[in-house]
Coordinates of all heavy atoms in Angstrom, one line a residue:
K107 N -7.3 7.0 5.7 CA -7.5 7.7 6.9 C -8.5 8.8 6.8 O -9.3 9.1 7.7 CB -6.1 8.3 7.4 CG -5.2 7.3 8.0 CD -3.9 7.8 8.6 CE -3.6 9.2 8.5 NZ -2.3 9.6 9.0
A108 N -8.4 9.6 5.7 CA -9.4 10.7 5.4 C -10.8 10.1 5.3 O -11.8 10.7 5.8 CB -9.0 11.4 4.2
D109 N -11.0 9.0 4.6 CA -12.3 8.4 4.5 C -12.9 8.0 5.8 O -14.1 8.2 6.1 CB -12.3 7.2 3.5 CG -12.0 7.6 2.1 OD1 -12.1 8.8 1.7 OD2 -11.6 6.7 1.3
A110 N -12.0 7.3 6.6 CA -12.5 6.9 7.9 C -12.8 8.1 8.8 O -13.8 8.1 9.5 CB -11.4 6.1 8.6
A111 N -12.1 9.1 8.8 CA -12.4 10.3 9.6 C -13.7 11.0 9.1 O -14.5 11.4 9.9 CB -11.2 11.4 9.4
G112 N -13.9 10.9 7.8 CA -15.2 11.5 7.2 C -16.4 10.7 7.7 O -17.5 11.2 8.0
R113 N -16.3 9.4 7.9 CA -17.3 8.5 8.3 C -17.6 8.8 9.8 O -18.7 8.6 10.3 CB -17.0 7.1 8.1 CG -17.2 6.7 6.6 CD -17.2 5.2 6.5 NE -16.0 4.5 7.0 CZ -14.9 4.3 6.3 NH1 -14.8 4.7 5.1 NH2 -13.8 3.7 6.9
Q114 N -16.6 9.1 10.6 CA -16.7 9.3 12.0 C -17.4 10.6 12.4 O -18.0 10.7 13.4 CB -15.3 9.3 12.7 CG -14.6 8.0 12.6 CD -15.3 6.9 13.5 OE1 -15.9 7.2 14.5 NE2 -15.3 5.7 13.0
E115 N -17.4 11.6 11.5 CA -17.9 13.0 11.8 C -19.4 12.9 12.1 O -19.9 13.6 13.0 CB -17.7 13.9 10.7 CG -16.2 14.4 10.6 CD -16.0 15.3 9.4 OE1 -17.0 15.7 8.7 OE2 -14.9 15.6 9.1
G116 N -20.2 12.1 11.4 CA -21.6 12.1 11.6 C -22.1 11.2 12.7 O -23.3 11.1 13.0
R117 N -21.2 10.5 13.4 CA -21.6 9.5 14.4 C -21.8 10.2 15.8 O -21.4 11.3 16.1 CB -20.4 8.5 14.6 CG -20.2 7.7 13.3 CD -19.2 6.7 13.5 NE -19.8 5.5 14.0 CZ -19.2 4.3 14.1 NH1 -17.9 4.3 13.8 NH2 -19.9 3.3 14.4
M118 N -22.6 9.6 16.6 CA -23.0 10.1 17.9 C -21.8 10.0 18.8 O -21.0 9.1 18.8 CB -24.1 9.3 18.5 CG -24.6 9.8 19.8 SD -25.9 8.8 20.6 CE -27.0 8.3 19.3
Q119 N -21.6 11.0 19.6 CA -20.6 11.1 20.6 C -21.2 11.0 22.0 O -22.1 11.7 22.3 CB -19.8 12.3 20.5 CG -19.0 12.5 19.2 CD -18.2 13.8 19.2 OE1 -18.2 14.6 20.1 NE2 -17.6 14.0 18.1
L120 N -20.8 10.1 22.8 CA -21.3 9.9 24.1 C -20.3 10.3 25.2 O -19.1 10.2 25.0 CB -21.7 8.5 24.4 CG -22.8 7.9 23.4 CD1 -23.0 6.4 23.7 CD2 -24.1 8.6 23.6
N121 N -20.8 10.8 26.3 CA -20.0 11.2 27.5 C -19.0 12.3 27.2 O -17.9 12.4 27.8 CB -19.2 10.0 28.0 CG -20.2 8.9 28.5 OD1 -21.2 9.3 29.0 ND2 -19.8 7.7 28.4
Q122 N -19.2 13.1 26.2 CA -18.4 14.3 25.9 C -19.1 15.2 25.0 O -20.1 14.9 24.4 CB -17.1 13.8 25.2 CG -17.3 13.3 23.8 CD -16.0 12.8 23.2 OE1 -15.1 12.3 23.9 NE2 -15.8 12.9 21.9
L123 N -18.7 16.5 25.1 CA -19.2 17.5 24.2 C -18.6 17.4 22.8 O -17.5 16.9 22.7 CB -19.0 18.9 24.8 CG -19.7 19.2 26.1 CD1 -19.2 20.6 26.6 CD2 -21.2 19.2 25.8
P124 N -19.3 17.9 21.8 CA -18.6 17.9 20.5 C -17.4 18.8 20.6 O -17.2 19.7 21.5 CB -19.7 18.6 19.6 CG -21.0 18.4 20.3 CD -20.6 18.3 21.8
A125 N -16.5 18.6 19.7 CA -15.2 19.3 19.7 C -15.4 20.8 19.7 O -14.7 21.5 20.4 CB -14.4 18.8 18.5
E126 N -16.3 21.3 18.9 CA -16.5 22.8 18.8 C -18.0 23.1 18.8 O -18.8 22.3 18.3 CB -15.9 23.4 17.6 CG -14.4 23.2 17.5 CD -13.7 24.2 16.7 OE1 -14.4 25.2 16.4 OE2 -12.6 24.0 16.4
G127 N -18.4 24.2 19.5 CA -19.8 24.6 19.5 C -20.7 23.6 20.2 O -20.2 22.7 20.9

Side-chain angles (χ1 to χ4, degrees):
K107 284 184 2 185
D109 291 345
R113 286 192 303 271
Q114 294 293 326
E115 287 177 7
R117 298 182 91 172
M118 184 185 316
Q119 296 180 1
L120 300 176
N121 296 329
Q122 66 184 34
L123 292 174
E126 297 206 16

